[in-house]
Every structure is written in structure tokens, then in C-alpha cells.
Amino acid sequence: MRDTLEQLVVRHTHRIPAPTGAAGSGEVTARQFDAALMSVGFKLSAAALGHLSAQSGDVVADTAVRTLAAVRELVGDHVEHNVYFVNFPANVPDTVEFWMRCVDEALADDSTRTGTLKQLISGVVDLLTLPSYGRYRHTYAEMLARHDELIPAAGDRLTVLDLGAPLEDEVTALYLALAGSSTPLGEDGLRDLEVLAGHCVTGPQPEVIPVRENRAVVNRARLRAGADLLLDTVTDVLRLACALSDGDVTLQEPTRFRGLSRPVRRALLAGLDAVVAASPAKLADVSAHREAFKRLGERLHPHEYPQWPHAVDVFAVARGERRAPSFEGRVEELLAAGDVTGAVRLLRSAPGKLFRALDRLLRTARTQEERDTVVAAAEEVAGEASGRVLLSVREHLHNRAGAAEGRRVFVGRRGRAWVTDDTRPPLLPPERERLSGALDEEIGRRLPAVDRLLVDPDVLDVALPLSGKATASGLGVLPRGSLSPVDGELLRFFVYWKESGERTDYDLSALLLDADYETVTWLSWTALADVEGEHSGDITEAPDGASEFINLRLGAVRGTFVVPQVDIYSGEGFEEVEESFFGFMLRESEQAGRPFEPRTVRMKSELRGPGRVALPLAFLRGADGRWHAKWLHLYLKGHPAANRVEGNRVSVATLLRGIVEREYLTVGYLAGLLAGRGTTVTEWDGTAAAPDGPVTYVGLQRPEGLHPDSRIVTPENLRDLIPE
């Protein structure tokens, strides 16, 4: 358990928990540890190196083993990355010539000659039947022997690992940060919170847990420990039941409830009874999840417990035996009757729902008086809505300035994306501008008082993490809509997957588009080489894991956009395989090295989402010729099998246009609000001398040299910028 907790801390915070052991002279071992870290693109801070040097050699060695395991997995170096073409990116053949060579080899093989001849006569050859296609023809060691050592370059990634507090203090702080987060966590974040909640259940707890999914995970740990549950709605109980069945606590997917023990059934029914007894109006929440409550009732047997009559009422509402009009239903009735003023009056009691309905209310209003009523209500209750809601609405208003034309891009909570026509009329400028100003004022008022803010210029275009669902876990991953610079001559994508049981074929491709989002060319297993770069070769099964790469020379790229994608050709989905991840590397042409070099990895993210096509990010060339990454985190439904880059070019281009042309609220927006409230905001890239006193710093990497009392914000804790 200690190893797991320490690796969680390293992964989430890039800090090494300060080891506590016998003092000694561990300087030599500490420097060896630092050298090993540098080989995978990490480095000890001066404070961490100094602390470890004062420990015994055994303590340092144990710390090194755990930390190296964590960072190697973080960067994707915990597995072997082999390639089909042993000399990749050199000597990648022409696609048709390669296929013909595979056919020739099949004809030379007695076991496949007859079948191959029959296919040739029919005019269609299945590449998967050719013995030399899609399977590694050499070992990992043989591949490594063909490549020179990587030549270090100044641009190689170097992520600093700082010294943290003792392990228990770090674990508690991480638990409080995740449990008390004001933005929803992704699936990996919820899993990590589950581990931390079980360990920290008897220790300090957050003052509030605003995100309901987080509360469900914490409640599961509290239930198992016999602690009081944190429940104030009937939906809290439903989410807890989903958590106990290892289901979806977001309630987006149906959960198959397991049989529950009598003590657990009693705890859930008692919780429902207490919630409804304190506020009978909360029965109205049942209708939003009627079917789920019905299925839960079959497991809880509420009629066996007459001491909790209010819990019985919950399931009576779910079955339709008792009427409890929902809040949303009452709003719909008023809007259906054309009573915008009445709907606003009702929504004032639920500020979050009012703000989410603003666009519809303004479009439904028929008179200036009604529109003024909507805006005035929003201004009056803005102080009661969550900061995340205010920021989301502010971003929405910014993107509703234009006329009603084009397409709308929708992205579900798990990254599933789809497109439809935008038929909404525009919001009128007076109301939109008045609301935007009110939101700017309220958001700025909630930002913490900061005397001096240092900002890395590269972080200004990073989108605010309004939801953990808009990103993926990994290294160097930024929220959807973020823009980050890409500096280097060679850009190399990689995908790794390992099937669980069924033969599984993932295909890495890159689609190149011009400024009008029209196709220029692509690289994939059907187009192995072009002037822009090379594909490492198609691998069609992965019982022991498999990797594919695409190497691009950025200076040779024709067009404006490069869109890497991972297509599932056959087999298990992204959530079914044992492991799958995507990433990209940057290097200079003279560096050589292996196909996968951890020091050059700039980003590695898990592939865990719905659909059969993954679009992690895109690369776009600006007017100045510089390249930037645009973060997507999207999944397309695709086809059940045989997905190919050629078949989804139109849908990919449409989605890309929607993300690229949408404007997101960024770190720069918050920096501007702070500057307007008197904060001294300074762009600082770390090359100039650091200030003497404590500052607040926001950047892509944790810098060295700042005052120890400084507050540091990096992508790992970027959610801390979201005001409550």
C-alpha cells in the first residue's frame, strides 16, 4: 500500500514524499538516482537531492525504485516499444512495394501458397492472411541494436521532481485536494480518490465536497469504515449505491446493482429516509433517475423496513404511485405556457439552474421587459452560483456573439463528440454584454488576493479545467481547447496497446489538412511514407503489447493542420484492453536514437473512452509559421470494425473546425481579471532572476529558485485556479 500511495503522490504532484529513515551518507546513491531519472526526462530539485543525500544509502535506493517505477509509467517507458520496420524511420518502403513483398513471401511459403494464389485469382488479397504482415519479425533487442544512442539536446524535456512533506502529510493533502475539488475528476482521478479515501477515512476531511461524484466515492469509504455518511439529496444515495456496485457514479451509464448486505441496505434506506424527512420537496429529484431508483428498490427491499417510511416514498415516486413534480418539470410547464417571468421567478431559487438556462430564457423572451427580467435575476443571484458554472456560462456567452450559422459541436462527459446544425438565433448584444460584464465582476471578486503573479507565457493559452472530463490522465496533458507551443524539427506520435484476450488491432494515423480543413494527405498503414514523414508499420495483434509510430518533419508538412488519430480496426475497445496510451515526442534531426526515447516525450495520455476512433489532440501552424498543439480529447463512435483514416476525414475535419474556432476561457483570462483588480502580473519564463520574496507562479513546469513560500500552480493542480 505504501508503494501505491507514494506513486500516487509522485504522479499527481511531481513531488517525492520526504523519506524518513536512518540518517547517513547517501550522496553517491542520490546522484545515481538523479542520473537514472535524467535518462527518462526527470530530475531531482536541489532540495530533494540535498535531503536524499543526508539519508542512508538503503533509504535512497528504496525511494529510487518506487519513484522510477512511477515516472517511467507516467512517460510510457514501463513497456517495450518495438516497431515493425526495424530501421524506422529509415528505410520505410513504399506501401504497394511492401505489400507485394509480403505476397511474394506468402507464395514462397508452402503453407500459404495455395490460399494466396486463390486470393490473387479473385483479385482481392487479405493482408492479414500473409504470414509476414502485421507481426513483429524481430525482437526488441534486435531492433535496439539497429539504432544509435540518443544525442542529448537542450530542448529535451526535463521535469523537476521536488521534495515533498512526509508521506502521510502528502497523502492527506492530495486526498483533501481531490475530494474537495470544485471541478469533476476524470475516471482515473475518481479511481485514485477511491484509494486515498479508504486510507484517509479516519483523518482530516474537506470542509465541503462540492462535486457529487467525489462525494459518492468518499461515502463508499465512510460506509465501509462505519463513519457517518455525507448525504443531502436522494441522488447522493443513488450515486453511493452505484459506487458500491462499481458502477457509474456520474449516472450517465446504467449500473447493474449487486446484491447488498443487510447492513448496507439499512444504511442506504436510513440515509434516504433522513434526507426526505428533512426536506420532503427533495422527492422531486427522483423522477430524473426514475429507472435507476426502481432497480435500486429491487435490491433494497424498502417495505421490509417500516421504520423508514420516507424511504418507501422515494420508490413510490419512482414507480409512479406517488406524484412529485420535479423542479425542471415545473420550469418546463411555465415555459410551455409562455410565462418567462414565472420561470425566472422559480429559477431564482436555484442559481445554478438559472445560469444554465440563461440562453434558452433569453431566446424565449418575447419583449425587452422579459429579457431585462432574465438579466436582472442573473445579476442578483450570481453570488450564489458556483465558480465553475459562472466560468462555463461566461465562455458560452463569448461564443454566442456571432450569427446563427454553421455547426455546433457537442462533447459528452466522457469525450464522445458529435456535430449538428446550429439553428439558434443569436443572443442580442445588450443582454450578452451586460451578462458578460456581471460575470467578469463576480468571478474577479472571488479570485484570491494576489500581490504579485508570475506567469509563464506558454501557459496563458491553456484552457481552464472546468471539468476533469475535458482531459485525460498522463504526462503533459492539458484541458480540451488549450493551445501550447511545439518546438522541434521532428514530431513523432506513438500508440501502445495490449489486448486482454481478443485479438486486437489498433491503427495509428495522421490526417493532414489545409487552412480550409480539406485533406492534403495522410500517413497510415495504407500510406506508409510521404514527403512529410514515415509510418513505422502495421501491427495487427498485441498479446504481449504493441506499438506504432508516425515520424513527421514539421518543415516539410504541407497544409495547416496535422490530426493524429487512433482507429480500432478490430477487437477490444479502448476501455476493454489491458492498457492503451498515446503520446508524442519532439526531437532534433541530428539526435538519432531509438524510436521511443522517454527524454523526448512531451505528452503521454491514457486512451480510455467510448467509441472506436480517438482524437487526442491536433497540431496547427500559425501565421508566423510556428506550430502549436490544440488539445481535443475526443472520441468518435466510428464503425464496429475496419475503421480507417480515409473513412472519417469529413467528420474529423468538422470536429476539428468546431474546437479550433471555439474560444475557450484560459489562464490569460484570469490573469487579466487579476490585473484589473490591482495585481502586478509579470510574464516570466525562468531565464531572468527569480524575485526575492514569495509570489504566485503559474506555468507548465515547476521552476526552481522561487521563494519557498511561493504558491506554485502547474497543470497538475490547475484546478486550484477555479474559484468556488
Side-chain angles (χ1 to χ4, degrees):
M1 185 63 176
R2 177 184 176 86
D3 289 2
T4 299
L5 293 173
E6 190 164 315
Q7 291 180 11
L8 279 179
V9 171
V10 171
R11 179 153 52 85
H12 279 275
T13 69
H14 290 181
R15 290 196 299 270
I16 298 175
T20 54
S25 181
E27 182 177 356
V28 172
T29 310
R31 293 196 176 279
Q32 291 172 338
F33 175 25
D34 195 32
L37 284 172
M38 292 180 69
S39 70
V40 290
F42 293 83
K43 179 174 175 52
L44 295 173
S45 70
L49 182 62
H51 181 85
L52 290 170
S53 296
Q55 306 296 308
S56 70
D58 289 342
V59 169
V60 177
D62 289 344
T63 302
V65 169
R66 293 191 294 269
T67 305
L68 282 166
V71 298
R72 290 188 66 206
E73 183 172 358
L74 191 61
V75 80
D77 192 45
H78 60 299
V79 297
E80 294 181 346
H81 293 278
N82 204 349
V83 288
Y84 182 89
F85 297 120
V86 67
N87 294 314
F88 171 83
N91 301 327
V92 173
D94 173 80
T95 308
V96 176
E97 290 179 1
F98 166 64
W99 290 350
M100 293 304 299
R101 189 173 71 202
C102 291
V103 170
D104 289 342
E105 292 172 354
L107 292 173
D109 188 328
D110 292 339
S111 64
T112 57
R113 181 184 302 112
T114 301
T116 304
L117 283 172
K118 289 181 179 179
Q119 293 187 70
L120 288 171
I121 293 171
S122 72
V124 179
V125 177
D126 183 355
L127 293 172
L128 298 179
T129 65
L130 306 179
S132 61
Y133 187 87
R135 302 169 185 85
Y136 289 119
R137 314 302 292 174
H138 49 264
T139 66
Y140 177 67
E142 289 170 338
M143 184 274 293
L144 291 184
R146 298 290 192 97
H147 294 271
D148 296 330
E149 289 293 320
L150 179 75
I151 300 172
D156 289 349
R157 177 187 53 81
L158 198 60
T159 303
V160 176
L161 299 179
D162 203 9
L163 178 68
L167 179 61
E168 283 302 318
D169 293 342
E170 286 288 342
V171 167
T172 298
L174 180 58
Y175 166 67
L176 294 175
L178 293 183
S181 171
S182 61
T183 61
L185 304 174
E187 291 185 15
D188 289 341
L190 286 173
R191 281 195 292 270
D192 292 345
L193 177 59
E194 178 185 355
V195 174
L196 295 166
H199 182 78
C200 299
V201 66
T202 59
Q205 300 296 311
E207 292 184 12
V208 293
I209 303 179
V211 177
R212 299 289 172 169
E213 296 98 313
N214 297 359
R215 186 178 298 188
V217 172
V218 171
N219 272 331
R220 174 167 52 182
R222 296 177 70 85
L223 180 62
R224 291 172 175 170
D228 292 338
L229 299 178
L230 308 174
L231 306 169
D232 60 23
T233 70
V234 294
T235 312
D236 283 341
V237 180
L238 179 61
R239 293 184 195 274
L240 172 55
C242 291
L244 292 167
S245 297
D246 291 330
D248 179 18
V249 296
T250 70
L251 306 182
Q252 300 300 302
E253 301 291 337
T255 293
R256 184 184 295 274
F257 293 110
R258 298 172 179 169
L260 302 172
S261 67
R262 183 174 292 272
V264 170
R265 296 203 307 270
R266 292 171 63 88
L268 295 180
L269 288 169
L272 281 174
D273 189 81
V275 167
V276 177
S279 178
K282 292 185 178 180
L283 281 172
D285 296 338
V286 174
S287 59
H289 305 285
R290 187 185 304 275
E291 293 302 318
F293 273 109
K294 280 199 255 184
R295 294 196 305 273
L296 178 59
E298 294 169 358
R299 293 295 187 184
L300 295 183
H301 313 297
H303 290 288
E304 296 179 7
Y305 302 91
Q307 66 269 41
W308 294 310
H310 299 291
V312 174
D313 292 341
V314 169
F315 300 102
V317 172
R319 294 190 300 270
E321 299 168 0
R322 174 172 175 170
R323 189 169 182 272
S326 69
F327 185 90
E328 290 78 6
R330 293 158 60 196
V331 172
E332 289 297 329
E333 289 178 2
L334 291 167
L335 290 176
D339 188 359
V340 173
T341 302
V344 170
R345 189 181 304 114
L346 179 59
L347 284 165
R348 283 170 59 95
S349 63
K353 290 183 171 63
L354 171 64
F355 274 95
R356 292 185 179 95
L358 273 180
D359 195 302
R360 182 184 178 189
L361 291 169
L362 288 171
R363 287 184 281 115
T364 304
R366 293 166 296 183
T367 66
Q368 185 62 49
E369 182 180 359
E370 287 182 335
R371 288 192 291 272
D372 288 342
T373 298
V374 173
V375 175
E379 290 174 329
E380 291 172 13
V381 302
E384 303 173 41
S386 74
R388 186 168 66 92
V389 167
L390 298 181
L391 287 165
S392 297
V393 174
R394 180 64 179 86
E395 181 176 283
H396 172 80
L397 291 172
H398 186 71
N399 286 280
R400 289 285 277 126
E405 59 184 19
R407 311 274 276 174
R408 293 179 69 185
V409 176
F410 291 89
V411 183
R413 298 185 65 161
R414 302 180 63 220
R416 175 71 67 80
W418 67 99
V419 181
T420 186
D421 291 329
D422 190 351
T423 59
R424 300 169 300 174
L427 298 181
L428 298 178
E431 288 76 35
R432 186 178 56 80
E433 293 170 6
R434 181 177 163 189
L435 282 169
S436 296
L439 290 172
D440 288 343
E441 179 64 27
E442 177 60 27
I443 293 167
R445 185 187 66 80
R446 297 190 191 188
L447 294 175
V450 176
D451 292 330
R452 186 169 185 186
L453 177 68
L454 294 188
V455 182
D456 178 356
D458 288 343
V459 84
L460 291 172
D461 290 325
V462 171
L464 297 177
L466 302 183
S467 172
K469 318 294 183 182
T471 186
S473 62
L475 175 76
V477 181
L478 298 176
R480 180 182 300 120
S482 296
L483 200 65
S484 57
V486 173
D487 296 313
E489 296 178 7
L490 300 179
L491 173 63
R492 187 171 297 176
F493 315 128
F494 60 91
V495 65
Y496 173 89
W497 76 100
K498 184 177 182 182
E499 60 200 42
S500 295
E502 180 183 353
R503 176 174 173 170
T504 299
D505 179 3
Y506 284 8
D507 292 322
L508 179 65
S509 305
L511 179 64
L512 278 64
L513 305 172
D514 63 20
D516 296 320
Y517 301 91
E518 297 293 331
T519 300
V520 175
T521 187
W522 63 83
L523 288 166
S524 71
W525 64 272
T526 64
L528 294 172
D530 210 324
V531 296
E532 286 84 1
E534 302 82 21
H535 191 286
S536 67
D538 188 20
I539 301 296
T540 60
E541 58 184 3
D544 301 313
S547 300
E548 291 184 10
F549 296 81
I550 288 178
N551 188 65
L552 283 176
R553 291 173 288 278
L554 288 175
V557 170
R558 296 165 291 167
T560 304
F561 302 99
V562 177
V563 191
Q565 59 185 268
V566 181
D567 299 290
I568 300 179
Y569 191 84
S570 63
E572 299 164 344
F574 297 117
E575 297 176 319
E576 299 167 328
V577 291
E578 182 175 322
E579 184 177 14
S580 61
F581 55 83
F582 167 90
F584 74 87
M585 295 171 277
L586 287 169
R587 63 180 76 182
E588 306 302 325
S589 57
E590 71 276 5
Q591 286 190 267
R594 301 169 294 175
F596 180 87
E597 289 285 2
R599 281 182 293 180
T600 67
V601 171
R602 295 303 198 274
M603 168 269 194
K604 174 254 182 181
S605 69
E606 303 300 317
L607 291 177
R608 282 288 186 267
R612 308 287 284 183
V613 178
L615 302 172
L617 77 172
F619 297 85
L620 56 93
R621 177 164 27 206
D624 60 357
R626 292 190 63 191
W627 286 90
H628 291 79
K630 188 76 171 184
W631 299 78
L632 305 179
H633 305 298
L634 300 177
Y635 291 87
L636 304 183
K637 182 179 181 180
H639 304 289
N643 290 286
R644 292 166 48 181
V645 63
E646 300 95 313
N648 56 42
R649 289 178 294 158
V650 174
S651 55
V652 168
T654 302
L655 283 171
L656 179 66
R657 181 192 290 268
I659 298 296
V660 168
E661 296 183 358
R662 178 180 177 83
E663 295 191 38
Y664 292 79
L665 288 190
T666 64
V667 172
Y669 166 76
L670 292 186
L673 291 182
L674 284 170
R677 301 182 71 85
T679 297
T680 301
V681 179
T682 305
E683 292 189 12
W684 185 69
D685 61 5
T687 56
D692 294 333
V695 298
T696 296
Y697 172 80
V698 184
L700 295 177
Q701 295 274 357
R702 185 183 185 93
E704 290 201 79
L706 292 180
H707 191 280
D709 293 331
S710 294
R711 182 191 180 197
I712 310 295
V713 179
T714 61
E716 288 71 41
N717 63 333
L718 198 60
R719 60 182 175 271
D720 293 349
L721 292 179
I722 306 300
E724 294 183 1

